[in-house]
Amino acid sequence: QKEVEQNSGPLSVPEGAIASLNCTYSDRGSQSFFWYRQYSGKSPELIMFIYSNGDKEDGRFTAQLNKASQYVSLLIRDSQPSDSATYLCAVNGNSGYALNFGKGTSLLVTP
Amino acid sequence: NAGVTQTPKFQVLKTGQSMTLQCAQDMNHNSMYWYRQDPGMGLRLIYYSASEGTTDKGEVPNGYNVSRLNKREFSLRLESAAPSQTSVYFCASSTGLAGVDTQYFGPGTRLTVL
């Protein structure tokens, strides 16, 4: 079973702080890594993806990938209360089409 | 573009009843997926269709059937609903092309089986 692990949280950070969300995966053949945000009662929406080792920045969001350690993270700078949601890590292996999702980390940004 | 649409949004069934969940995408995507999401379990793949005319089982296919009606539409059928199938069902689609293949999700169907 290919596993994607996330701390369920809740992770609580004050407004304006950096939120750090972490994800580990078991399949060394994994090639693409995705972060989705899901508000309560809504569907997952893509924040960003990464497939090369290192950092990838998009606005207030930075994804970090370390394939040797099988670790991917998402940093949210200047966190806002509107960032309060569940963040899902998803991994696409080399077997084709399926995305394996972690169970998500609940983030709460307090004013 | 509407993206990925799903009908119905909500449904209540009695044990043993059947129903079909509909999904359509207008992004000209090749691949389509059905997931279920349960509290504490995350998103789990039920079935997927890599391209028109093909379907494959995912992690939790038992109790479900699918039909890729055409490139746009991918339906999920519950032949005899069971309380264990109470869940939120999401349809997703992607280009299915080589490289980073991002999946985009529909709004979901909340199904309760009594």
Side-chain angles (χ1 to χ4, degrees), chain B residues 10-41:
Chain B
F10 301 93
Q11 184 70 50
V12 179
L13 293 178
K14 295 181 179 178
T15 297
Q17 288 185 317
S18 63
M19 79 162 295
T20 300
L21 281 64
Q22 306 286 354
C23 174
Q25 53 89 11
D26 63 2
M27 296 179 281
N28 199 34
H29 283 170
N30 293 308
S31 301
M32 298 185 73
Y33 314 82
W34 277 105
Y35 292 90
R36 61 178 288 174
Q37 188 174 38
D38 303 292
M41 297 297 294

mmCIF file of all heavy atoms in Angstrom, chain B residues 10-41:
data_model
loop_
_atom_site.group_PDB
_atom_site.id
_atom_site.type_symbol
_atom_site.label_atom_id
_atom_site.label_comp_id
_atom_site.label_asym_id
_atom_site.label_seq_id
_atom_site.Cartn_x
_atom_site.Cartn_y
_atom_site.Cartn_z
ATOM 1 N N PHE B 10 -27.074 16.511 -3.255
ATOM 2 C CA PHE B 10 -27.435 15.756 -2.056
ATOM 3 C C PHE B 10 -28.370 14.625 -2.451
ATOM 4 O O PHE B 10 -29.158 14.767 -3.385
ATOM 5 C CB PHE B 10 -28.147 16.633 -1.019
ATOM 6 C CG PHE B 10 -27.357 17.811 -0.558
ATOM 7 C CD1 PHE B 10 -27.495 19.039 -1.188
ATOM 8 C CD2 PHE B 10 -26.480 17.708 0.507
ATOM 9 C CE1 PHE B 10 -26.773 20.142 -0.772
ATOM 10 C CE2 PHE B 10 -25.751 18.803 0.938
ATOM 11 C CZ PHE B 10 -25.894 20.011 0.293
ATOM 12 N N GLN B 11 -28.298 13.515 -1.726
ATOM 13 C CA GLN B 11 -29.197 12.403 -1.984
ATOM 14 C C GLN B 11 -29.317 11.558 -0.726
ATOM 15 O O GLN B 11 -28.316 11.310 -0.044
ATOM 16 C CB GLN B 11 -28.677 11.534 -3.135
ATOM 17 C CG GLN B 11 -29.593 10.404 -3.552
ATOM 18 C CD GLN B 11 -30.845 10.910 -4.240
ATOM 19 O OE1 GLN B 11 -30.798 11.720 -5.158
ATOM 20 N NE2 GLN B 11 -31.991 10.420 -3.769
ATOM 21 N N VAL B 12 -30.542 11.143 -0.425
ATOM 22 C CA VAL B 12 -30.793 10.207 0.662
ATOM 23 C C VAL B 12 -31.413 8.955 0.051
ATOM 24 O O VAL B 12 -32.400 9.048 -0.684
ATOM 25 C CB VAL B 12 -31.724 10.801 1.733
ATOM 26 C CG1 VAL B 12 -31.985 9.769 2.833
ATOM 27 C CG2 VAL B 12 -31.123 12.068 2.333
ATOM 28 N N LEU B 13 -30.844 7.814 0.345
ATOM 29 C CA LEU B 13 -31.346 6.542 -0.166
ATOM 30 C C LEU B 13 -31.671 5.613 0.995
ATOM 31 O O LEU B 13 -31.118 5.756 2.093
ATOM 32 C CB LEU B 13 -30.298 5.845 -1.034
ATOM 33 C CG LEU B 13 -29.890 6.457 -2.373
ATOM 34 C CD1 LEU B 13 -28.796 5.612 -3.010
ATOM 35 C CD2 LEU B 13 -31.091 6.568 -3.288
ATOM 36 N N LYS B 14 -32.524 4.666 0.729
ATOM 37 C CA LYS B 14 -32.744 3.576 1.677
ATOM 38 C C LYS B 14 -31.867 2.395 1.259
ATOM 39 O O LYS B 14 -31.540 2.224 0.072
ATOM 40 C CB LYS B 14 -34.210 3.168 1.688
ATOM 41 C CG LYS B 14 -35.139 4.255 2.212
ATOM 42 C CD LYS B 14 -36.582 3.777 2.211
ATOM 43 C CE LYS B 14 -37.501 4.863 2.751
ATOM 44 N NZ LYS B 14 -38.926 4.441 2.731
ATOM 45 N N THR B 15 -31.502 1.594 2.224
ATOM 46 C CA THR B 15 -30.686 0.412 1.941
ATOM 47 C C THR B 15 -31.344 -0.418 0.843
ATOM 48 O O THR B 15 -32.549 -0.688 0.891
ATOM 49 C CB THR B 15 -30.528 -0.445 3.211
ATOM 50 O OG1 THR B 15 -29.820 0.322 4.195
ATOM 51 C CG2 THR B 15 -29.742 -1.703 2.919
ATOM 52 N N GLY B 16 -30.521 -0.778 -0.142
ATOM 53 C CA GLY B 16 -31.005 -1.605 -1.238
ATOM 54 C C GLY B 16 -31.429 -0.824 -2.475
ATOM 55 O O GLY B 16 -31.558 -1.406 -3.569
ATOM 56 N N GLN B 17 -31.641 0.470 -2.330
ATOM 57 C CA GLN B 17 -31.997 1.274 -3.497
ATOM 58 C C GLN B 17 -30.777 1.484 -4.383
ATOM 59 O O GLN B 17 -29.629 1.354 -3.941
ATOM 60 C CB GLN B 17 -32.582 2.619 -3.066
ATOM 61 C CG GLN B 17 -33.973 2.528 -2.464
ATOM 62 C CD GLN B 17 -34.555 3.896 -2.158
ATOM 63 O OE1 GLN B 17 -33.877 4.782 -1.635
ATOM 64 N NE2 GLN B 17 -35.829 4.060 -2.469
ATOM 65 N N SER B 18 -31.051 1.827 -5.621
ATOM 66 C CA SER B 18 -29.960 2.096 -6.557
ATOM 67 C C SER B 18 -30.011 3.552 -6.999
ATOM 68 O O SER B 18 -31.059 4.204 -6.908
ATOM 69 C CB SER B 18 -30.066 1.176 -7.775
ATOM 70 O OG SER B 18 -31.271 1.441 -8.474
ATOM 71 N N MET B 19 -28.861 4.045 -7.447
ATOM 72 C CA MET B 19 -28.824 5.390 -7.994
ATOM 73 C C MET B 19 -27.546 5.571 -8.805
ATOM 74 O O MET B 19 -26.579 4.799 -8.644
ATOM 75 C CB MET B 19 -28.896 6.451 -6.907
ATOM 76 C CG MET B 19 -27.617 6.712 -6.169
ATOM 77 S SD MET B 19 -27.636 8.297 -5.298
ATOM 78 C CE MET B 19 -27.733 9.465 -6.640
ATOM 79 N N THR B 20 -27.569 6.581 -9.648
ATOM 80 C CA THR B 20 -26.411 6.926 -10.469
ATOM 81 C C THR B 20 -26.006 8.357 -10.187
ATOM 82 O O THR B 20 -26.842 9.262 -10.228
ATOM 83 C CB THR B 20 -26.723 6.750 -11.962
ATOM 84 O OG1 THR B 20 -27.070 5.384 -12.218
ATOM 85 C CG2 THR B 20 -25.512 7.129 -12.803
ATOM 86 N N LEU B 21 -24.722 8.541 -9.896
ATOM 87 C CA LEU B 21 -24.162 9.871 -9.741
ATOM 88 C C LEU B 21 -23.567 10.287 -11.081
ATOM 89 O O LEU B 21 -22.831 9.526 -11.710
ATOM 90 C CB LEU B 21 -23.062 9.873 -8.664
ATOM 91 C CG LEU B 21 -23.492 9.890 -7.208
ATOM 92 C CD1 LEU B 21 -24.243 8.631 -6.835
ATOM 93 C CD2 LEU B 21 -22.273 10.056 -6.303
ATOM 94 N N GLN B 22 -23.901 11.507 -11.480
ATOM 95 C CA GLN B 22 -23.465 11.995 -12.782
ATOM 96 C C GLN B 22 -22.310 12.978 -12.629
ATOM 97 O O GLN B 22 -22.260 13.757 -11.677
ATOM 98 C CB GLN B 22 -24.618 12.683 -13.509
ATOM 99 C CG GLN B 22 -25.885 11.851 -13.643
ATOM 100 C CD GLN B 22 -25.758 10.746 -14.685
ATOM 101 O OE1 GLN B 22 -24.759 10.649 -15.395
ATOM 102 N NE2 GLN B 22 -26.777 9.891 -14.765
ATOM 103 N N CYS B 23 -21.408 12.930 -13.582
ATOM 104 C CA CYS B 23 -20.266 13.841 -13.604
ATOM 105 C C CYS B 23 -19.994 14.239 -15.040
ATOM 106 O O CYS B 23 -20.014 13.374 -15.939
ATOM 107 C CB CYS B 23 -19.040 13.185 -12.996
ATOM 108 S SG CYS B 23 -17.526 14.165 -13.135
ATOM 109 N N ALA B 24 -19.726 15.522 -15.256
ATOM 110 C CA ALA B 24 -19.371 15.995 -16.586
ATOM 111 C C ALA B 24 -18.296 17.057 -16.467
ATOM 112 O O ALA B 24 -18.260 17.812 -15.504
ATOM 113 C CB ALA B 24 -20.596 16.564 -17.306
ATOM 114 N N GLN B 25 -17.407 17.092 -17.458
ATOM 115 C CA GLN B 25 -16.360 18.120 -17.492
ATOM 116 C C GLN B 25 -16.321 18.743 -18.880
ATOM 117 O O GLN B 25 -16.557 18.066 -19.889
ATOM 118 C CB GLN B 25 -14.994 17.529 -17.087
ATOM 119 C CG GLN B 25 -14.563 16.289 -17.854
ATOM 120 C CD GLN B 25 -13.774 16.546 -19.114
ATOM 121 O OE1 GLN B 25 -13.337 17.686 -19.378
ATOM 122 N NE2 GLN B 25 -13.574 15.493 -19.901
ATOM 123 N N ASP B 26 -16.002 20.046 -18.896
ATOM 124 C CA ASP B 26 -15.959 20.765 -20.166
ATOM 125 C C ASP B 26 -14.554 21.268 -20.468
ATOM 126 O O ASP B 26 -14.393 22.265 -21.173
ATOM 127 C CB ASP B 26 -16.978 21.900 -20.174
ATOM 128 C CG ASP B 26 -16.690 22.953 -19.105
ATOM 129 O OD1 ASP B 26 -15.682 22.832 -18.375
ATOM 130 O OD2 ASP B 26 -17.485 23.906 -19.001
ATOM 131 N N MET B 27 -13.549 20.611 -19.936
ATOM 132 C CA MET B 27 -12.164 21.028 -20.120
ATOM 133 C C MET B 27 -11.435 20.178 -21.153
ATOM 134 O O MET B 27 -10.212 20.280 -21.271
ATOM 135 C CB MET B 27 -11.442 20.969 -18.761
ATOM 136 C CG MET B 27 -12.023 21.948 -17.755
ATOM 137 S SD MET B 27 -11.218 21.882 -16.146
ATOM 138 C CE MET B 27 -11.990 20.430 -15.449
ATOM 139 N N ASN B 28 -12.174 19.329 -21.860
ATOM 140 C CA ASN B 28 -11.597 18.458 -22.874
ATOM 141 C C ASN B 28 -10.530 17.523 -22.281
ATOM 142 O O ASN B 28 -9.550 17.174 -22.943
ATOM 143 C CB ASN B 28 -10.993 19.257 -24.036
ATOM 144 C CG ASN B 28 -10.821 18.397 -25.289
ATOM 145 O OD1 ASN B 28 -11.625 17.509 -25.564
ATOM 146 N ND2 ASN B 28 -9.765 18.651 -26.038
ATOM 147 N N HIS B 29 -10.751 17.132 -21.031
ATOM 148 C CA HIS B 29 -9.807 16.235 -20.364
ATOM 149 C C HIS B 29 -10.019 14.793 -20.793
ATOM 150 O O HIS B 29 -11.139 14.361 -21.067
ATOM 151 C CB HIS B 29 -9.968 16.338 -18.842
ATOM 152 C CG HIS B 29 -9.348 17.570 -18.280
ATOM 153 N ND1 HIS B 29 -9.537 17.969 -16.967
ATOM 154 C CD2 HIS B 29 -8.518 18.501 -18.820
ATOM 155 C CE1 HIS B 29 -8.853 19.059 -16.748
ATOM 156 N NE2 HIS B 29 -8.228 19.409 -17.854
ATOM 157 N N ASN B 30 -8.915 14.057 -20.826
ATOM 158 C CA ASN B 30 -8.992 12.648 -21.200
ATOM 159 C C ASN B 30 -9.362 11.758 -20.016
ATOM 160 O O ASN B 30 -10.039 10.752 -20.189
ATOM 161 C CB ASN B 30 -7.648 12.177 -21.757
ATOM 162 C CG ASN B 30 -7.322 12.848 -23.070
ATOM 163 O OD1 ASN B 30 -8.109 12.845 -23.999
ATOM 164 N ND2 ASN B 30 -6.143 13.457 -23.136
ATOM 165 N N SER B 31 -8.860 12.101 -18.835
ATOM 166 C CA SER B 31 -8.992 11.205 -17.676
ATOM 167 C C SER B 31 -10.011 11.738 -16.688
ATOM 168 O O SER B 31 -10.104 12.940 -16.456
ATOM 169 C CB SER B 31 -7.631 11.055 -16.984
ATOM 170 O OG SER B 31 -6.680 10.527 -17.877
ATOM 171 N N MET B 32 -10.755 10.799 -16.107
ATOM 172 C CA MET B 32 -11.757 11.164 -15.104
ATOM 173 C C MET B 32 -11.715 10.162 -13.950
ATOM 174 O O MET B 32 -11.311 9.008 -14.141
ATOM 175 C CB MET B 32 -13.147 11.227 -15.737
ATOM 176 C CG MET B 32 -13.254 12.293 -16.831
ATOM 177 S SD MET B 32 -14.901 12.498 -17.515
ATOM 178 C CE MET B 32 -15.731 13.346 -16.157
ATOM 179 N N TYR B 33 -12.140 10.616 -12.773
ATOM 180 C CA TYR B 33 -11.961 9.835 -11.540
ATOM 181 C C TYR B 33 -13.188 9.979 -10.644
ATOM 182 O O TYR B 33 -13.843 11.020 -10.638
ATOM 183 C CB TYR B 33 -10.751 10.358 -10.760
ATOM 184 C CG TYR B 33 -9.521 10.593 -11.599
ATOM 185 C CD1 TYR B 33 -9.370 11.766 -12.339
ATOM 186 C CD2 TYR B 33 -8.500 9.649 -11.652
ATOM 187 C CE1 TYR B 33 -8.249 11.994 -13.109
ATOM 188 C CE2 TYR B 33 -7.370 9.873 -12.422
ATOM 189 C CZ TYR B 33 -7.262 11.041 -13.157
ATOM 190 O OH TYR B 33 -6.147 11.257 -13.929
ATOM 191 N N TRP B 34 -13.422 8.953 -9.867
ATOM 192 C CA TRP B 34 -14.396 9.019 -8.786
ATOM 193 C C TRP B 34 -13.699 8.686 -7.468
ATOM 194 O O TRP B 34 -13.036 7.653 -7.347
ATOM 195 C CB TRP B 34 -15.544 8.029 -8.989
ATOM 196 C CG TRP B 34 -16.613 8.537 -9.898
ATOM 197 C CD1 TRP B 34 -16.855 8.180 -11.180
ATOM 198 C CD2 TRP B 34 -17.605 9.515 -9.561
ATOM 199 N NE1 TRP B 34 -17.926 8.875 -11.686
ATOM 200 C CE2 TRP B 34 -18.415 9.699 -10.703
ATOM 201 C CE3 TRP B 34 -17.903 10.259 -8.417
ATOM 202 C CZ2 TRP B 34 -19.489 10.581 -10.728
ATOM 203 C CZ3 TRP B 34 -18.966 11.135 -8.443
ATOM 204 C CH2 TRP B 34 -19.750 11.293 -9.593
ATOM 205 N N TYR B 35 -13.880 9.586 -6.477
ATOM 206 C CA TYR B 35 -13.352 9.404 -5.135
ATOM 207 C C TYR B 35 -14.517 9.425 -4.143
ATOM 208 O O TYR B 35 -15.543 10.040 -4.383
ATOM 209 C CB TYR B 35 -12.414 10.542 -4.739
ATOM 210 C CG TYR B 35 -11.114 10.619 -5.497
ATOM 211 C CD1 TYR B 35 -11.010 11.354 -6.674
ATOM 212 C CD2 TYR B 35 -9.967 9.990 -5.024
ATOM 213 C CE1 TYR B 35 -9.817 11.451 -7.358
ATOM 214 C CE2 TYR B 35 -8.755 10.089 -5.699
ATOM 215 C CZ TYR B 35 -8.695 10.821 -6.870
ATOM 216 O OH TYR B 35 -7.507 10.919 -7.541
ATOM 217 N N ARG B 36 -14.274 8.823 -3.003
ATOM 218 C CA ARG B 36 -15.149 9.035 -1.865
ATOM 219 C C ARG B 36 -14.313 9.584 -0.710
ATOM 220 O O ARG B 36 -13.112 9.290 -0.592
ATOM 221 C CB ARG B 36 -15.871 7.750 -1.442
ATOM 222 C CG ARG B 36 -15.005 6.607 -1.013
ATOM 223 C CD ARG B 36 -15.867 5.400 -0.571
ATOM 224 N NE ARG B 36 -16.522 5.653 0.710
ATOM 225 C CZ ARG B 36 -17.423 4.832 1.267
ATOM 226 N NH1 ARG B 36 -17.753 3.715 0.659
ATOM 227 N NH2 ARG B 36 -17.976 5.125 2.430
ATOM 228 N N GLN B 37 -14.955 10.417 0.110
ATOM 229 C CA GLN B 37 -14.260 11.016 1.239
ATOM 230 C C GLN B 37 -15.067 10.770 2.497
ATOM 231 O O GLN B 37 -16.220 11.192 2.605
ATOM 232 C CB GLN B 37 -14.041 12.516 1.030
ATOM 233 C CG GLN B 37 -13.158 13.143 2.101
ATOM 234 C CD GLN B 37 -12.837 14.599 1.796
ATOM 235 O OE1 GLN B 37 -13.670 15.340 1.306
ATOM 236 N NE2 GLN B 37 -11.600 15.001 2.083
ATOM 237 N N ASP B 38 -14.455 10.119 3.451
ATOM 238 C CA ASP B 38 -15.074 9.812 4.731
ATOM 239 C C ASP B 38 -14.248 10.423 5.841
ATOM 240 O O ASP B 38 -13.018 10.514 5.731
ATOM 241 C CB ASP B 38 -15.140 8.291 4.919
ATOM 242 C CG ASP B 38 -15.883 7.609 3.781
ATOM 243 O OD1 ASP B 38 -17.093 7.825 3.684
ATOM 244 O OD2 ASP B 38 -15.246 6.894 2.997
ATOM 245 N N PRO B 39 -14.889 10.835 6.928
ATOM 246 C CA PRO B 39 -14.148 11.427 8.046
ATOM 247 C C PRO B 39 -13.042 10.507 8.533
ATOM 248 O O PRO B 39 -13.273 9.320 8.764
ATOM 249 C CB PRO B 39 -15.233 11.609 9.106
ATOM 250 C CG PRO B 39 -16.512 11.711 8.343
ATOM 251 C CD PRO B 39 -16.334 10.795 7.169
ATOM 252 N N GLY B 40 -11.846 11.046 8.657
ATOM 253 C CA GLY B 40 -10.721 10.271 9.157
ATOM 254 C C GLY B 40 -10.096 9.335 8.157
ATOM 255 O O GLY B 40 -9.097 8.677 8.459
ATOM 256 N N MET B 41 -10.678 9.257 6.938
ATOM 257 C CA MET B 41 -10.160 8.311 5.938
ATOM 258 C C MET B 41 -9.530 9.004 4.747
ATOM 259 O O MET B 41 -8.883 8.380 3.934
ATOM 260 C CB MET B 41 -11.292 7.401 5.455
ATOM 261 C CG MET B 41 -11.881 6.532 6.530
ATOM 262 S SD MET B 41 -10.673 5.377 7.189
ATOM 263 C CE MET B 41 -10.363 4.345 5.765
#
